[in-house]
Amino acid sequence: MTPHEMIVPNRKIRGFSAILLPFTSTGAVDWPGFEAHVERTAAAGLAPAVNMDTGYGNLIDTTLKTEVLSRTREIVSGGDYVAGAFVGDRPEEAFREEEYAREMQLIDSFGGIPVLFQSYGLTAGSDAEIAERYRRLGQYTDRYIGFELGTMFAPFGKIYSLDLYRSLLGIPQCIGAKHSSLSRRLEWDRLLLRNEVRPDFLVLTGNDLAIDMVIYGSDYLLGLSTFAPDLFALRDKFWLEGNDEFYELNDTLQYLGHFAFRVPVPAYKHNAAQFLHLRNWIETDETHPDSARRPESDRFVLQEILDRMERWL
């Protein structure tokens, strides 16, 4: 089947949108800005995704993660949201199953769905060994989302073989997987396998450089959508209605994606803070102190992109 033949018109797209954790000029978390962003994301019809890379899930401690979960649960009031389960380790270290279990159970206790970040221990060894670890993690929760992460995002990332991906499809508790290889071909392969083996499984594109993967059957869990959850929701509505304006809005959002997700890719979070500050949605454009930054001149380009979006706002 060619990619053109895979296009699914008038499909209801399911969107999970990462939430930027904003900071004040003093280095404290901007909680009013965070809560407002969770609220507007949920109001747009997207499921908030907290404690992900966009929320510095690999840089913040358990106390802060717990506060994020508590505030998110209060805002979504029983609605769906997902949260990153991150376990930090080093190359050659053993799989830290108990730490994953604690992360997953913490998220469960606040009504969220765990998204399992990779780690060196989780992805080491053969396909069979990795699949067994995911199966074991299923005993700690009713549902979780897997995650394939390219090394351009994190050094512990790994893109799995299709055989291993097929094994994930066979784990009942694994309801989907975020795919962040930035490769259309690899994602198309996963969609074809999903359609054959388990049609209800969520292939969540993490390709911020090809956000039109949703037309082929992917749903999404993106960092880019944190810039404009309102416009992502509108774009998705256009696709459902068969409105050709989908393409023009998608192209504009993609322009933003190519700018923000340039090398070094992790610095997109600073662009997100700059953009949200330009929209008067957060107090400052500060980031976590250990996060990469962009030049201040990026604000001029981001303002130009925001001006292009004015017709849809």
Side-chain angles (χ1 to χ4, degrees):
M1 179 179 288
T2 67
H4 180 74
E5 294 171 317
M6 293 173 63
I7 293 174
V8 187
N10 305 107
R11 186 178 74 89
K12 183 173 177 57
I13 298 165
R14 189 170 182 186
F16 297 81
S17 185
I19 302 295
L20 180 76
L21 187 65
F23 288 83
T24 69
S25 57
T26 64
V29 173
D30 172 12
W31 288 117
F34 169 80
E35 291 178 341
H37 201 40
V38 172
E39 186 172 0
R40 74 172 57 93
T41 299
L46 308 183
V50 300
N51 291 340
M52 300 293 292
D53 175 62
T54 313
Y56 309 105
N58 60 323
L59 298 176
I60 60 177
D61 61 22
T62 300
T63 299
L64 186 47
K65 288 179 184 179
T66 303
E67 184 68 17
V68 166
L69 292 171
S70 176
R71 290 173 184 258
T72 302
R73 177 180 62 178
E74 186 71 21
I75 294 166
V76 301
S77 300
D80 279 344
Y81 80 95
V82 303
F86 178 80
V87 173
D89 63 1
R90 298 177 181 177
E92 310 302 327
E93 289 189 345
F95 173 50
R96 297 183 177 182
E97 182 174 340
E98 292 183 359
E99 290 185 37
Y100 272 103
R102 285 196 295 271
E103 288 276 313
M104 296 165 73
Q105 290 167 342
L106 175 65
I107 295 165
D108 269 346
S109 71
F110 285 95
I113 303 171
V115 179
L116 305 188
F117 273 75
Q118 292 173 316
S119 62
Y120 292 109
L122 176 60
T123 63
S126 67
D127 283 359
E129 291 171 322
I130 297 169
E132 177 58 26
R133 293 178 190 129
Y134 278 101
R135 278 191 286 270
R136 294 211 306 267
L137 291 175
Q139 69 184 301
Y140 301 111
T141 184
D142 292 333
R143 53 182 181 164
Y144 70 79
I145 292 172
F147 196 170
E148 295 177 281
L149 190 63
T151 54
M152 75 288 290
F153 291 104
F156 51 77
K158 184 174 184 178
I159 302 301
Y160 297 140
S161 71
L162 271 182
D163 286 340
L164 177 51
Y165 199 85
R166 181 184 289 270
S167 296
L168 296 182
L169 294 174
I171 301 172
Q173 297 90 342
C174 185
I175 63 170
K178 175 174 163 69
H179 181 77
S180 292
S181 69
L182 302 183
S183 165
R184 288 181 182 270
R185 180 72 269 166
L186 291 177
E187 193 166 326
W188 283 327
D189 289 342
R190 280 149 179 74
L191 286 168
L192 289 171
L193 182 61
R194 183 276 307 274
N195 294 345
E196 171 194 343
V197 175
R198 186 177 166 188
D200 65 333
F201 189 85
L202 295 170
V203 176
L204 297 171
T205 187
N207 191 342
D208 298 277
L209 305 182
I211 59 172
D212 66 341
M213 287 301 298
V214 295
I215 74 175
Y216 303 101
S218 291
D219 293 292
Y220 62 90
L221 201 175
L222 292 170
L224 178 59
S225 57
T226 205
F227 291 68
D230 50 348
L231 296 187
F232 268 84
L234 180 60
R235 180 205 67 156
D236 299 348
K237 179 174 179 286
F238 286 157
W239 185 253
L240 177 64
E241 296 173 345
N243 186 333
D244 287 346
E245 200 165 356
F246 166 88
Y247 296 100
E248 190 168 351
L249 177 51
N250 188 83
D251 287 347
T252 305
L253 291 168
Q254 190 60 87
Y255 175 37
L256 175 61
H258 275 279
F259 178 72
F261 283 79
R262 70 193 192 275
V263 176
V265 173
Y268 81 87
K269 293 183 282 292
H270 186 212
N271 280 152
Q274 291 174 320
F275 195 79
L276 295 182
H277 187 238
L278 288 171
R279 298 194 73 180
N280 297 312
W281 280 1
I282 57 176
E283 182 178 323
T284 75
D285 63 5
E286 294 298 320
T287 62
H288 189 284
D290 294 329
S291 183
R293 294 180 63 85
R294 296 289 195 205
E296 288 304 304
S297 57
D298 276 19
R299 293 176 60 90
F300 297 103
V301 179
L302 293 169
Q303 182 63 61
E304 185 268 335
I305 296 173
L306 184 57
D307 291 343
R308 291 189 182 200
M309 293 175 169
E310 188 62 35
R311 58 180 286 192
W312 293 294
L313 295 174

